[in-house]
Amino acid sequence: MQKEIIEAILQSLRTAYPGARSRLYYSNAYELLVAAILSAQTTDEQVNRVTSALFRRYPDPAALAVADPEEVAVCIKSLGLYRMKAAHLVATARVLVEKYDGLVPASLAELLELPGVGRKVANVVLANAFGRDVIAVDTHVFRVANRLGLARAGNVLETEKQLTAILPPGSRGEAHHLLIHHGRAVCRARQPRCQECVVAGYCEHKDRDYSDADHNTCGKASH
Ligand code: SF4
């Protein structure tokens, strides 16, 4: 895809979603890491409903590291997979305390070693807590990027590689938020609102019937 078209798509999305940013509530890298771990297969709004009380009770990795996972589970019981997530949170906090002096590491390799942290969560933390120029690919980014032709990939990792290669330096974190906002508001999985789409002029999938499509469409997401 030509640079000018990529810039035009980004600019159209910026205009449509000014100030697009994460919907998760957090005030530091630790809170973002916790919220991002909790967000697996759960909406940001559901995560936000539990994190204020969770952060009051466990305000830093040291507090969470000595918590009983069963008690953490009670705090996040309204979320899916809450027992597994509670175990991951406590195990991750222990690693932060034992290996990183209670700080969140700022490298992809180190983040990926933390329990409950996959590539998407790691990149969310790197981009939003540390200002790194990386793009986290979730189901919305995967779907919208592949429909628009910004990527032509069958899985999230390949989509991340292709987006990293074509997006202008400095724009990857922003592009993540813009594509998520567009995916939630307009380019929905089964019923995209192509008639309202500000980037329809660049999209070869405009008005395609997605009613019977796989949730992610345009190939199978392997995440
Ligand atoms: S035209 Fe339709 S399919 Fe293409 S990006 Fe817009 S909403 Fe999605």
Side-chain angles (χ1 to χ4, degrees):
M1 183 176 278
Q2 294 171 346
K3 275 185 183 176
E4 296 74 22
I5 295 178
I6 296 166
E7 282 289 1
I9 288 173
L10 289 176
Q11 195 50 50
S12 296
L13 293 175
R14 280 185 195 113
T15 303
Y17 312 106
R21 63 181 301 277
S22 173
R23 290 184 183 175
L24 292 172
Y25 297 157
Y26 64 94
S27 61
N28 55 47
Y30 159 70
E31 291 185 357
L32 176 57
L33 176 61
V34 168
I37 289 173
L38 293 177
S39 70
Q41 296 181 43
T42 305
T43 67
D44 291 352
E45 288 71 21
Q46 287 173 307
V47 172
N48 290 339
R49 277 187 216 119
V50 305
T51 45
S52 56
L54 189 70
F55 295 154
R56 270 199 305 278
R57 186 157 180 178
Y58 308 108
D60 51 38
L64 190 55
V66 296
D68 179 347
E70 284 296 316
E71 290 184 9
V72 176
V74 171
C75 296
I76 61 171
K77 202 170 179 178
S78 60
L79 307 181
L81 308 172
Y82 68 95
R83 286 187 193 281
M84 186 182 73
K85 289 176 180 176
H88 283 158
L89 290 183
V90 174
T92 280
R94 288 178 183 162
V95 176
L96 298 185
V97 170
E98 289 165 11
K99 206 169 168 187
Y100 301 107
D101 289 332
L103 299 174
V104 176
S107 81
L108 180 63
E110 290 170 322
L111 284 165
L112 288 176
E113 286 180 359
L114 300 173
V117 176
R119 202 169 177 93
K120 185 196 80 175
V121 168
N123 279 329
V124 163
V125 171
L126 288 173
N128 295 284
F130 297 113
R132 297 291 167 79
D133 190 20
V134 296
I135 183 158
V137 177
D138 71 350
T139 186
H140 297 296
V141 174
F142 175 82
R143 182 179 69 251
V144 178
N146 280 284
R147 283 179 179 172
L148 271 171
L150 291 169
R152 297 183 191 280
N155 59 62
V156 289
L157 180 57
E158 187 58 30
T159 299
E160 181 192 321
K161 285 182 187 169
Q162 293 183 13
L163 289 175
T164 300
I166 65 154
L167 289 169
S171 73
R172 293 168 193 145
E174 177 194 29
H176 164 83
H177 295 303
L178 292 172
L179 292 172
I180 286 179
H181 276 66
H182 193 55
R184 284 176 174 151
V186 177
C187 191
R188 296 175 173 182
R190 289 201 171 79
Q191 292 183 314
R193 299 171 169 178
C194 299
Q195 299 308 313
E196 303 167 27
C197 177
V198 296
V199 288
Y202 308 104
C203 183
E204 52 198 64
H205 290 85
K206 180 175 181 291
D207 293 332
R208 179 169 157 181
D209 180 7
Y210 283 108
S211 54
D212 293 327
D214 175 79
H215 178 69
N216 291 295
T217 68
C218 300
K220 304 286 184 189
S222 59
H223 61 118

